[in-house]
Amino acid sequence: MRPPPQSPSPAPSTTAPTAAAGGATDGPVAATVRTLARDLAAVPPGSVVRLQGWVHRRRELANVTFLVLRDRTGLAQVVVRAGAGVGPGEPQGSPRVAAQVPPEETTVDVTGTVTANPQAPGGVELTEPVITPLTDAAETPPVELWRPALAVALPTLLDHAAVAWRHPAQKARWEVAATSLGGFRATLDAAGFTEICTPKLVGTATESGANVFPVDYFGRPAYLAQSPQFYKQQMVGVFERVYEVGPVFRAEPHDTVRHLAEYRSLDVELGFVRDHRDVLAVLRDVLAGMADAVRGSGAAERLGVEVPEVPAAFPVIHFADALALVGAPADEPDLAPEHERALGQWAMAEHGSDFVAVEGYPMAKRPFYTHPETGARAAAGDGRWSNSFDLLFRGLELVTGGQRLHRYPDYVAAIEARGEDPAAYASYLAAFRHGMPPHGGFAIGLERWVARLVGAANVREVTPFPRDLHRLVP
Amino acid sequence: MRPPPQSPSPAPSTTAPTAAAGGATDGPVAATVRTLARDLAAVPPGSVVRLQGWVHRRRELANVTFLVLRDRTGLAQVVVRAGAGVGPGEPQGSPRVAAQVPPEETTVDVTGTVTANPQAPGGVELTEPVITPLTDAAETPPVELWRPALAVALPTLLDHAAVAWRHPAQKARWEVAATSLGGFRATLDAAGFTEICTPKLVGTATESGANVFPVDYFGRPAYLAQSPQFYKQQMVGVFERVYEVGPVFRAEPHDTVRHLAEYRSLDVELGFVRDHRDVLAVLRDVLAGMADAVRGSGAAERLGVEVPEVPAAFPVIHFADALALVGAPADEPDLAPEHERALGQWAMAEHGSDFVAVEGYPMAKRPFYTHPETGARAAAGDGRWSNSFDLLFRGLELVTGGQRLHRYPDYVAAIEARGEDPAAYASYLAAFRHGMPPHGGFAIGLERWVARLVGAANVREVTPFPRDLHRLVP
């Protein structure tokens, strides 16, 4: 018995639907490959093409109905006049045109003739269409997707995510996120970084000790990883330069516009650095790569938002100087949101930069693996400052990073100084006992980057299925 | 007060270490950019270069010590003769050479003269070196990393992951994984797919009902997602074609060589398909892209493993024919591992293919969203078979996929047939109520792909930090 091998089939985007997909296959329809809305303007008028997509808008006039079809690349106008055939087996010449155009959001297959019309989007429209629904008539959507702006309250957007994200403007927001991920990886791949995948289920809550989600792991306690920090450092010992894009989990008890219980962290770590300034130089290249990718995708243009110019080097201000600049007391341990906003304004006014790096954050506010300050000001700081930084983007903290400790005895001392037992960190510390280079890294929050870029006030507006104190569905 | 902006600094891989990183900066050393081991053979003999990396091997002879340095690109030989300077401030002419080469796995900075030596790896070595340790002397590693093969038992590899994965052969195994991810994304990006990020914390355990990890979510019950299935389908309604690389979580109670409690799933879903054969065509292109990327990276070559040729189209056999072929009873609901092996041998013998797709799996063994069979055999099957498939790679299930239901009434019926209430799936079903195209998709298990490719018997051998019934650390 020898079943024949699968005959090579054309790619799905260029094939006609069969009865299996609910469509018609008879006649010239089956011979027509799919054309995407974006490509319609380049098709010679008079050609017969096939479109597939959603009924974005149905507009009925006396003797004509306009069907605006939406596919993944854009919109296309279809003109249905009395007499057009609708559906397989539907008699030509039916007068009831409007009733034969399926309701909005129904998926359809449309073949028709490309006809020039300067009034139509892209200068062309489809005439003499044959419209075949690919499924049942769609129910009226909970939001009006065909309006130019999606004017809905946040809870409506979130509750109806599966449908509301079909709106072209909302879709473009995610395209900003997706293309940013592409730019992130492309920049790092070109610089000799290796992508890693580290576990999200961990056995101890040692990294910060608080705000972790407990998991019932085969009857034993486990936790969701708050970051890949320990693992990406260990992998510097293997690959020197690593990155990971993955979910991180924070049981944040506050309900703010910039925190989520689960978000996407873009993590980078690299070895053989001099100090945190080398890390900052890589961060600069990464953000430039992300901005370029967004610019190239056209999504920002469709949204009418400006992609920042990433300067050749970020302006850098020391934490102590930053406090003085914003008029805060010299013993403040952290920057408040209004301080960050003031620093963002300063960076734009003084350096024409959407970005500013604040270096030298107090050791007391940084994790135990943070490297103390080593620069010219180190002696004056008396161990108070660190080789770590925050990067502010338009006055909001976007990235935290810095140099880490790399000497084993330094780790033992730092952990003991917290009153903890280094034995609890044995597998992590093994990397340092057996030789690690000076290294550092950073983590970018994807949702914050996108929100700031598109001007969304709340990270939930750019996250299809956000998780927070109150929201676990959809 | 105006701190100067950060002066543009050279990329970390081309800069000299400063005192901050524990190195020396005086003399010509500081002026020498870093050279990677891979590039050493292209440097004109007589040049002074700087290497940075780990002491991979220290071999002491009477009057000379060989230091093999390892960096992320490979190995380089350094020849230390009596009289060479070692460390900053170390007097030239010291006779105790060996004692001055730090122990294995210590990170070092080495400057020296490139000298031709046909016996050395790459035909060159470094002579007259100045060696500067970048950290304390490393403790002896728990595994012998310098041996050509890493001959350790699996528990040793897993317990000492941070160090054991430094072995070049082990490192190459992960490079196969990392480059596969790159090939996966590049193929899909070029075909108009959009990367998505879906939540890993979910409110219900409805998808399969069993083998889920419960999470304490702010005092309420939540679960770790077993797959992005529901979300990727909803996002087909937005982007038509989507993919995600992310962790999935299975509370698998069995302890086998092919199951993990957390693994990387390469998920794809696409709309406007005719049936599962269109999905299979995309899967074919994706695997070809992954294989090409691995081939291009050189990692497989270093491991001495053969990257499969992906045929222009996979051989396809129907489930019913597959049962007959392997001599199993016609009413078997699934393929046993020995059946899969036999089918793999058949595919190679009959079609010269490492891959074979088995289509038409019984509806009874597939999830509720599976589309029933629609092809020529559908009538004879009487609803028993489905438009779903498994792809076997060298006789092991690698991918599961197929066409999904797309009509809302079909979902309601399928869920009710399981004795469940469709209301529990309301947010998922909203996508279908409001118009979805015929669609399908698949999921590739990264660890299985890599294990099969490199000939590892156990997925744990290719996963740096596996999670299973027993293992949650490191």
Side-chain angles (χ1 to χ4, degrees):
Chain A
M1 189 220 63
R2 293 185 200 175
Q6 184 193 19
S7 59
S9 67
S13 68
T14 57
T15 53
T18 64
T25 58
D26 50 335
V29 173
T32 313
V33 300
R34 181 181 179 194
T35 297
L36 295 168
R38 160 189 75 197
D39 301 329
L40 203 58
V43 175
S47 309
V48 172
V49 300
R50 145 171 295 179
L51 300 176
Q52 291 185 322
W54 286 260
V55 177
H56 186 61
R57 182 63 170 143
R58 179 174 67 169
R59 205 151 51 87
E60 307 168 18
L61 303 180
N63 274 315
V64 63
T65 296
F66 290 101
L67 185 174
V68 179
L69 177 141
R70 184 186 75 241
D71 70 17
R72 70 177 187 268
T73 66
L75 304 175
Q77 181 165 295
V78 179
V79 184
V80 189
R81 292 183 196 282
V86 177
E90 182 80 15
Q92 299 285 313
S94 164
R96 290 167 306 143
V97 168
Q100 293 159 356
V101 175
E104 279 145 15
E105 292 310 303
T106 307
T107 52
V108 291
D109 178 290
V110 180
T111 56
T113 305
V114 178
T115 305
N117 176 0
Q119 266 84 62
V124 291
E125 62 191 9
L126 237 60
T127 57
E128 301 172 61
V130 175
I131 300 168
T132 309
L134 294 174
T135 182
D136 313 273
E139 292 181 30
T140 305
V143 295
E144 289 185 314
L145 294 169
W146 56 270
R147 290 195 185 274
L150 184 61
V152 296
L154 185 59
T156 304
L157 171 67
L158 301 182
D159 289 343
H160 300 286
V163 179
W165 277 80
R166 296 181 187 178
H167 189 282
Q170 202 60 36
K171 180 168 170 275
R173 289 179 155 194
W174 183 260
E175 287 166 9
V176 168
T179 53
S180 294
L181 293 177
F184 174 82
R185 295 194 193 96
T187 305
L188 293 166
D189 288 345
F193 283 76
T194 299
E195 179 171 3
I196 57 172
C197 299
T198 68
K200 305 309 161 201
L201 282 165
V202 294
T204 51
T206 42
E207 191 184 341
S208 88
N211 296 355
V212 292
F213 287 113
V215 179
D216 175 357
Y217 191 78
F218 299 114
R220 285 180 291 155
Y223 305 91
L224 292 179
Q226 291 180 299
S227 91
Q229 182 63 33
F230 288 6
Y231 293 101
K232 69 177 181 172
Q233 287 184 266
Q234 292 176 62
M235 290 294 100
V236 163
V238 177
F239 300 106
E240 288 189 25
R241 313 183 130 206
V242 297
Y243 70 85
E244 176 167 23
V245 173
V248 297
F249 305 91
R250 307 276 169 105
E252 296 277 0
H254 11 272
D255 199 8
T256 81
V257 297
R258 58 203 270 192
H259 290 94
L260 293 171
E262 174 183 345
Y263 68 89
R264 257 26 171 212
S265 183
L266 281 53
D267 267 276
V268 171
E269 199 81 11
L270 61 148
F272 301 102
V273 300
R274 290 171 300 184
D275 57 26
H276 62 290
R277 290 285 185 113
D278 283 344
V279 178
L280 212 43
V282 171
L283 172 57
R284 183 268 153 206
D285 290 348
V286 164
L287 286 174
M290 291 166 69
D292 286 348
V294 172
R295 221 175 269 116
S297 76
E301 205 179 339
R302 273 178 276 138
L303 287 167
V305 299
E306 198 186 342
V307 181
E309 288 298 325
V310 179
F314 296 132
V316 179
I317 184 170
H318 193 280
F319 184 82
D321 298 335
L323 287 181
L325 182 78
V326 301
D331 58 353
E332 278 284 319
D334 210 344
L335 293 173
E338 63 268 26
H339 297 153
E340 295 186 356
R341 279 193 295 275
L343 288 165
Q345 288 161 4
W346 171 82
M348 182 48 78
E350 293 295 318
H351 300 285
S353 172
D354 280 313
F355 302 90
V356 55
V358 181
E359 67 179 2
Y361 269 76
M363 285 294 284
K365 293 296 283 186
R366 294 301 207 186
F368 71 87
Y369 47 77
T370 304
H371 200 291
E373 192 167 44
T374 53
R377 301 168 71 133
D382 200 23
R384 186 171 167 197
W385 313 120
S386 72
N387 269 358
S388 75
F389 60 80
D390 271 11
L391 184 77
L392 311 185
F393 172 38
R394 295 178 180 164
L396 185 80
E397 178 218 315
L398 175 67
V399 187
T400 295
Q403 187 185 358
R404 330 296 189 184
L405 300 173
H406 58 276
R407 296 179 63 240
Y408 177 63
D410 290 344
Y411 273 92
V412 172
I415 291 167
E416 285 176 345
R418 294 210 309 180
E420 290 193 66
D421 182 359
Y425 297 81
S427 65
Y428 168 55
L429 296 184
F432 304 97
R433 286 173 56 198
H434 300 294
M436 277 284 281
H439 66 285
F442 57 84
I444 306 171
L446 178 64
E447 295 82 356
R448 284 192 188 184
W449 160 253
V450 177
R452 210 65 186 154
L453 200 55
V454 306
N458 191 323
V459 290
R460 289 161 187 78
E461 295 172 36
V462 300
T463 311
F465 305 102
R467 296 291 180 254
D468 63 27
L469 201 50
H470 308 294
R471 193 168 280 273
L472 192 53
V473 173
Chain B
M1 190 222 61
R2 292 186 201 172
Q6 183 193 20
S7 61
S9 66
S13 67
T14 58
T15 54
T18 65
T25 58
D26 52 334
V29 171
T32 313
V33 300
R34 181 182 180 194
T35 297
L36 295 167
R38 154 189 79 195
D39 301 329
L40 202 59
V43 176
S47 310
V48 172
V49 300
R50 143 168 298 178
L51 300 176
Q52 291 184 322
W54 286 259
V55 177
H56 186 62
R57 181 63 168 146
R58 179 175 67 170
R59 203 148 51 87
E60 308 168 16
L61 304 180
N63 275 314
V64 63
T65 296
F66 290 101
L67 185 173
V68 179
L69 177 141
R70 184 186 74 240
D71 70 16
R72 69 176 188 268
T73 65
L75 304 175
Q77 182 165 293
V78 179
V79 184
V80 189
R81 292 182 196 283
V86 177
E90 183 80 15
Q92 298 286 313
S94 161
R96 291 167 306 144
V97 168
Q100 292 159 357
V101 174
E104 280 146 13
E105 291 310 303
T106 307
T107 52
V108 291
D109 178 290
V110 181
T111 55
T113 304
V114 177
T115 305
N117 176 359
Q119 265 86 62
V124 290
E125 60 193 9
L126 237 58
T127 56
E128 301 170 63
V130 176
I131 300 168
T132 308
L134 294 175
T135 183
D136 312 274
E139 293 181 30
T140 305
V143 295
E144 289 184 315
L145 294 169
W146 55 271
R147 288 195 185 276
L150 184 62
V152 295
L154 185 60
T156 304
L157 171 68
L158 301 182
D159 288 343
H160 301 285
V163 179
W165 276 80
R166 296 181 187 178
H167 190 282
Q170 202 60 35
K171 182 169 169 276
R173 287 179 156 191
W174 183 259
E175 287 166 8
V176 168
T179 52
S180 294
L181 293 178
F184 175 81
R185 294 194 193 96
T187 305
L188 293 166
D189 288 344
F193 283 76
T194 299
E195 178 171 3
I196 57 172
C197 300
T198 68
K200 305 309 162 199
L201 282 165
V202 294
T204 50
T206 41
E207 190 183 342
S208 88
N211 295 355
V212 291
F213 287 113
V215 179
D216 174 357
Y217 190 78
F218 299 113
R220 285 180 290 155
Y223 306 92
L224 291 178
Q226 291 180 301
S227 91
Q229 182 63 34
F230 288 5
Y231 292 100
K232 69 177 181 173
Q233 287 184 267
Q234 292 175 62
M235 288 295 100
V236 163
V238 177
F239 300 106
E240 288 187 26
R241 314 183 129 206
V242 296
Y243 69 86
E244 177 168 21
V245 173
V248 297
F249 305 92
R250 308 275 170 104
E252 296 276 0
H254 12 272
D255 200 6
T256 81
V257 297
R258 59 203 270 192
H259 289 94
L260 293 171
E262 175 183 346
Y263 68 89
R264 268 356 173 238
S265 183
L266 281 53
D267 267 276
V268 171
E269 199 81 12
L270 62 147
F272 300 102
V273 301
R274 289 173 299 185
D275 57 28
H276 63 290
R277 289 286 185 111
D278 282 343
V279 178
L280 210 45
V282 171
L283 172 58
R284 183 267 154 206
D285 290 347
V286 163
L287 286 174
M290 292 167 69
D292 285 349
V294 172
R295 221 174 268 118
S297 76
E301 204 178 342
R302 273 177 276 138
L303 286 167
V305 300
E306 198 188 341
V307 180
E309 289 297 326
V310 179
F314 295 132
V316 180
I317 183 170
H318 192 280
F319 184 83
D321 297 334
L323 287 182
L325 183 77
V326 301
D331 59 353
E332 279 283 319
D334 211 345
L335 294 173
E338 63 267 27
H339 297 152
E340 294 185 357
R341 279 194 294 275
L343 287 165
Q345 288 161 3
W346 170 82
M348 182 48 78
E350 293 295 318
H351 300 285
S353 172
D354 280 313
F355 302 89
V356 56
V358 181
E359 68 179 2
Y361 268 77
M363 286 293 286
K365 293 296 282 186
R366 293 301 205 187
F368 71 86
Y369 47 77
T370 305
H371 201 290
E373 191 166 47
T374 53
R377 301 168 69 133
D382 201 22
R384 185 171 169 198
W385 314 119
S386 72
N387 269 359
S388 75
F389 60 81
D390 271 11
L391 184 78
L392 312 184
F393 172 40
R394 294 177 181 165
L396 185 79
E397 178 217 317
L398 174 68
V399 186
T400 296
Q403 185 184 358
R404 329 296 188 185
L405 300 174
H406 57 276
R407 297 179 61 240
Y408 176 64
D410 289 344
Y411 275 91
V412 172
I415 292 168
E416 286 177 345
R418 294 211 308 180
E420 289 193 68
D421 182 359
Y425 297 81
S427 65
Y428 169 55
L429 296 184
F432 304 98
R433 286 174 55 198
H434 300 294
M436 277 284 281
H439 66 286
F442 57 84
I444 306 171
L446 178 64
E447 294 82 357
R448 284 192 187 184
W449 160 253
V450 176
R452 209 67 185 153
L453 200 55
V454 307
N458 191 322
V459 290
R460 290 161 187 77
E461 294 173 37
V462 299
T463 310
F465 305 102
R467 295 292 179 258
D468 62 27
L469 201 49
H470 308 294
R471 193 168 280 272
L472 191 53
V473 173

